[in-house]
Structures are given as structure tokens and as C-alpha cells.
Amino acid sequence: MQKTSKALFGLATAFVMSSALPNLAKADELTLCWAAWDPANALVELSKDFTAKTGTQMKFEFVPWTNYADRFLNELNSHGKLCDLIIGDSQWIGGSAENGHYVKLNDFFDKEGIKMDDFVPATVVGYSEWPKNTPNYWALPAMGDVVGWTYRKDWFEKPELQKEFKEKYGHDLAAPKTYDELKQIAEFFQKRQIDGKTVYGASIYTERGSEGITMGVTNVLYDWGFQYENPKKPYDMEGFVNSADAVKGLEFYKSLYDCCTPPGSSNVYMVESADAFKSGQVAMQMNFAFTWPGLYKDEKVGGKKIGFFPNPAEKAHFAQLGGQGISVVSYSDKRDAALQYIKWFAQPDVQAKWWELGGFSCLNSVVNAPGFAKSQPYAQAFLDSMAIVKDFWAEPSYASLLQAMQKRVHNYVVAGNGTAKEALDGLVKDWSDVFKDDGKI
Amino acid sequence: MTISHSSIVEKAADATARATPSSVARRVRGLSDRAIAWLFIAPAITLLLAINIFPLLWAVYLSFTNYRANRPNAPVVGVGFGNYQRVLNDPDIWQAMQTTAHFVFWTIVLQTVIGFTLAYLIDRKFRGHAFWTTIILIPMMLSPAVVGNFWRFLYEPQIGLFAYAVSLVTGIPTSDIQMLGNVTLAPWAIIIVDTWMWTPYVMLICLAGLRSIPDYIYEAAEVDRASPWRQFWSITVPMALPFIMLAVLFRGIENFKMFDMVTLLTGGGPGSITEVASITLKRAAFESWATGRASAFAIILFVAVFGLANIYVKALNKVKQR
């Protein structure tokens, strides 16, 4: 009996030891959560250097964009320990800061000499700060991104089309600098036969389910003078969100949708827009800059056939910010190791390699380096675009604000219900209700 | 009359006790038949309470609070019937309910008519009827995600077969056949897909009903020289009616919850024209994180479906008893 007890005790000890061993090994492992897309693959490659330098293994949890917000906001809200580091969307920063999901990084930055002045200012405001324009940092700018445009350079360079276009509009067929020019080009190409195939003017965002049409519409509205609120009185939206200029901007977006998009464009976002371009359907495409490296490499439409240009201007000149910052999840048991990753990631040489691998660095020393603008065919357009960015609300209630805008603008632009003024008036009402619920007005 | 939950459990325990062979009870010393019965039922009761009853009661509790799942540290304050009042006064929610009712009505009508017709034809037992039955059943065996994506491509104006076929028949250019982007057509696009997928299900139930009608009734009708038309209306339809009503009940409840197909095909658009109640609920609960309000909405939906289903089941029982 005694022997049996000893044997059982020995077995139990061995079991406990064997199950503890992997845990010990995992103490040097960090999990980074992000969306599943090309830049994430570049980050996997880049992070091998971190592992080589520190011995910390990197594990990655990548989720497709369609489930990205659902999956990770659930994880944060439930105080999950899955992610030690998270590259969260720019709009999440307010909620994540106020609800304690992210570790505040000010002391860490001060201690390690990481200066936010070293990063592109707009990315610091967009990805790191909450409240906005205050020195409270919750993330390090990680992936710069912005809505811009690609165009079929090879079509634009066809002599017969150049001639016809100049005769019709009185100026050269070239990357547009204003929205009037953009629409002229889109109309010019709409339903045109090129190489025996019917092509269309432009692919623009119209997606209803998540955030697509809002990203597209704001990209245009900013340039007409749309503002989220009275600069002198926060959350005062009447006459700013629904100003006469904003109404004209929204009308323009609808006119672009009606005149110049391919058939079946009622639910287009990043993937569908890129697909429309890749399949040779459209002359121009609105899309986030992260798609550019992949499109440039595309055998059918990339290389010499593709050109890039920043958002055109109208009364003002802005572009919708995309991209994300990297944060340490406050529920992680490995905060110190996670902070070490951020320290490593912030280094100029790592950031330079990040750009080389296909990530979009936000570090000034990278983007302002001599030769950066010519380092990739899309580098100049990226630089120009990042200089004019503006972001959607980053309020903790951003999701409710986003849903309201998705509904109002889709109703007008795609479904054709009501007028632009009614859509924006309705939006002011919806947003006011959200802020009333939050006790902000 | 309300039957209490505990009395149902006790009745189940008694029934189990009665069904337990006495030899089993004898083998387990010191335990009464009733105790053994409880022992067997306890895991199922515990699971039921944990998985069904507790979340339901918790949702009822949350529906009277301002709780938001994304702000777990914020104080939870009772708001009385505030959430219910807000849900019932929200025009968007009424719009979603109207959209849902539209889907439920038309899908049920189409699926019942087509499903019963198919069942009637299959019941004729023509040559190869087993093969055609299998072919007809394929759509309902597919995953809704596959069906949604499959039909999205079919509806594609430039490359989709649906637009091509309609264009061939009507002469309308394919680029003008925008099923998913057109306010008038988008709801019908979803109704068509749901009908395509679930009519076989209705057909199966109706077929079971038709095959349950004894042949001698038709033989007696033949003797009485009843015409086929008369036989159909006086024998086939009344005797298959309980089965048809059962199919309507199942499809009605299912379609009230329609979510995946709409999300995949239109995302609720264009505008909000195809935004059914389940999508509105999901957005409120898991995108806006208005947990309290979403719980109130869920309870209202639950009560509505439960109430309507109960009335319907009573009608079904009456039909069965005829």
C-alpha cells in the first residue's frame, strides 16, 4: 500500500512538473494581436529580429478585418489575457484608454527616451493620444495608413485617350488634383471599351455593414468643409456636420457613385475595391495605402501600369486616416516583456526595416530620410497623404457614432432615399443622442 | 394557468422513477427510486439552468439597467422600464420589425406554396422521383455562409448568372439588374435565396404529411366517384394541413431570427432596407455595446415570438383534433 502511495505521489509530481515545464518556457513568449493582412506578414518577418535579440518568442493572433473589431474588442472587454500586445484600430483609443484596456505609456516613453516628436504628428494624434491633442499616450504609432487613390497609368498614357480627353475637357489626362478633375476622368472612362473590355470610372467605398461607406464619404466631405464639431464648443455639431458645404460634399459623393462606379458597387470596401482594380474594371480606385505594395506587385495591373495619387482637394485638402498604434494590454501578465517589444519596435533601424518589408512606418527619421520619396513608387503619394490626414471620432462611443453614419449616408448615397441635407441633419440628431447618453451634452 | 418550473421537474422525476426498473433501485443501496431519478435528471437540469434559464434571467435583469459590456467598471444603475420604453419608441426598431415581418410573410408564403407543390408532385412516385427528391434537397444541406456567398456571385451584375438569365428573358441590360444594390429588389433578392434554400425543408415535412394519408380514404373517395380536384381539397389538403402548419411554424420562428443570409448578401443595406431585427439587435449589443437596451429588445423579441408561437400551436392543435 505504501509503495502504491509513493508511486502515485511520484506520478503526480511528474505530471505537475511536466505540465509546469511548458509554462516556464512560455514565460518568454509574447502574443501580438492584429488584423490578418499583408502588413501583418511583414511584422512576422520583422519580429524575428526581436526574437533573435531578446530570445522572446513571438506568437501572433491575426483575425480577418471583417471580424477584427468584434474579436478583439470582445477580448478587451472581457479582460482577456490572449493578447500581450495589440495593434488596435485608431478609433478604439478613446474607449480603450477610458476603460483601462491599454497601459498608459507616458512614464515608459520618458524612461526609455522615446519621444512622440519623433513620429509624424498626425499619427501621434490619431493612434496614440487620448484625449486628442493632449500628451497622454496609449500607443506607439505602428502602421501609418490613409485613404488615397490608385489609377491605371497605362490607360492614362494612351495617346488616343489623351487626345480625346484634352479635346473634351481642355486639360491633360493626368492624376487629378481636384475632385472636379477626378469626376471628369471617371466620367471619361465610364463604360468605355479598352482592349475589348468595358471599363468603368472609379471604385469608391460603399460598404454598409462595418465602416466602409463612412471612410469613403468622410474622405470626400472633409475637403468640402465638413467638420465633426464646432472648434470652439465640443460636441456642438449643428452647422458643422450638416453645413451647406458638407451637404455639397455628400451630394458630390452620391453623384460619383451614380455616374461612375461599376455595376454592383453597392457594398464595396477595401477588398472589393482592390479586386475591381486588379480585374481591370476601373480606371481609378479609392483605397487605403496598405493595399498599394500588393497592387504594385500585381502582374496584371502593377509595375508600370499603376500610378498613385493622394486624395484630391476641393475647398480644403484632407484625407481619411487609417492605420493603428501598438499598445500593451493592461490585462497581460507579461507587461514588461511587451514594453520591451515596443522599445525595440520604436528604434529607427527597426522602423527603416519595417518600411522595407512592406509596413508603413510613422517615424520621422524614416519618412523624412533623403531618398524615402523615391524608395517605392507609392512613397511620395503616401507622404503627401499622411500630411493631410483627419480621423473619425475616437470617442469611447465611436461604434454608435459609426453605425449612425453608416446608416444615414448609405441610405442617401446608395439607396437614394431623401436628400443630402436630410441625411446630415439626421446624423446630427443621432450623434447628439449618443453624446447625450454619454453625458457629454 | 401558469405551471411552475418546480412542478414540471417533480413530474419529470416521478416519471423517471416510474420508468426505472426496480432491480436498478435495489442494486443501489440506501437510495430511493425518487433519489435515483433525481440523480439521473440532475445533470440535465443543471445544464438547462446554467445554459438556458440563467442567461435568460440575467438578460431580464440587464434589461432594467444601464449596463454596457464595454464599460464593466462603470456603476450599473437601474433604469426601470426606460430601456423598454426607448426600444418601443425607436422608429428604427419598428422599421426593422416591419422588415422582418415582410421577410417572414413572403418566405413563408412562397416556401409553403412551392414546398407543398413539390411534395405533391414527388408523392406521385413517378419514375426517378427518388433522384429528384435528392436533387431538390441539396440547397438545405449547404451552410448558409456558402449559400450567401454563392448567391452574391450569382447576383453580380457583370458576371452573375442570375442577371444574365433575367437579361436573356427580359432584354434588360445586365448592368441594370442590380439585385443587391437596388432598394426595391434587395429585399426580394434575400427572399429568393431563403426560398431556394429552405423550400426543400417544407417539402420534406409536407411529403411526410402526404404519405401519412391512408390509401383507403382515396379508394373510398374513388368508390364515391369523387373527382381528383374534390379529393385534393377534401382529403389531401385537410389531412396534410397539420404538417403544413408545422412547417410554417418552424420556418416562421427560423426566419424571425434571419441573420447570416442578410449579413452576407446586403449587410442590411441598401440604406436600412434589409436590416432585420436580428441585425439591429446584434448592432446594439455587440457594436454599440448598449447591453441593457439590447437585452430589453431581445426580451421583447422573445416575448413576441413566444406569444405568437403559442397562439399558433393552439390553432395547430385545434386543426389536429378536427
Side-chain angles (χ1 to χ4, degrees), chain A residues 378-398:
Chain A
Y378 44 82
Q380 186 63 58
F382 173 67
L383 270 184
D384 295 343
S385 298
M386 287 307 287
I388 54 169
V389 289
K390 197 168 179 170
D391 201 8
F392 188 74
W393 294 106
E395 292 279 335
S397 291
Y398 89 90

Side-chain angles (χ1 to χ4, degrees), chain B residues 17-33:
Chain B
R18 276 197 298 276
T20 308
S22 57
S23 57
V24 175
R26 272 202 298 275
R27 262 182 250 145
V28 188
R29 276 178 294 171
L31 286 178
S32 66
D33 285 357

Side-chain angles (χ1 to χ4, degrees), chain A residues 226-229 237-243 246 424 427-428 431:
Chain A
F226 165 94
Q227 290 186 68
Y228 285 104
E229 56 192 339
M237 292 166 284
E238 188 63 43
F240 293 88
V241 167
N242 56 351
S243 65
L424 294 176
L427 190 57
V428 171
W431 284 359

Side-chain angles (χ1 to χ4, degrees), chain A residues 339-411:
Chain A
L339 288 167
Q340 286 314 303
Y341 184 89
I342 288 190
K343 180 185 169 187
W344 167 81
F345 186 70
Q347 294 172 90
D349 56 328
V350 175
Q351 286 288 311
K353 192 171 178 187
W354 176 223
W355 168 248
E356 276 172 34
L357 290 171
F360 283 65
S361 174
C362 306
L363 196 69
N364 284 326
S365 68
V366 174
V367 297
N368 295 334
F372 175 84
K374 288 186 178 162
S375 62
Q376 295 288 356
Y378 44 82
Q380 186 63 58
F382 173 67
L383 270 184
D384 295 343
S385 298
M386 287 307 287
I388 54 169
V389 289
K390 197 168 179 170
D391 201 8
F392 188 74
W393 294 106
E395 292 279 335
S397 291
Y398 89 90
S400 302
L401 302 164
L402 189 62
Q403 276 183 39
M405 188 156 190
Q406 285 286 110
K407 183 184 72 184
R408 294 286 179 187
V409 296
H410 205 272
N411 233 336

Side-chain angles (χ1 to χ4, degrees), chain A residues 115-127:
Chain A
K115 294 188 186 99
M116 284 294 102
D117 293 346
D118 292 342
F119 290 84
V120 176
T123 66
V124 176
V125 177
Y127 310 150

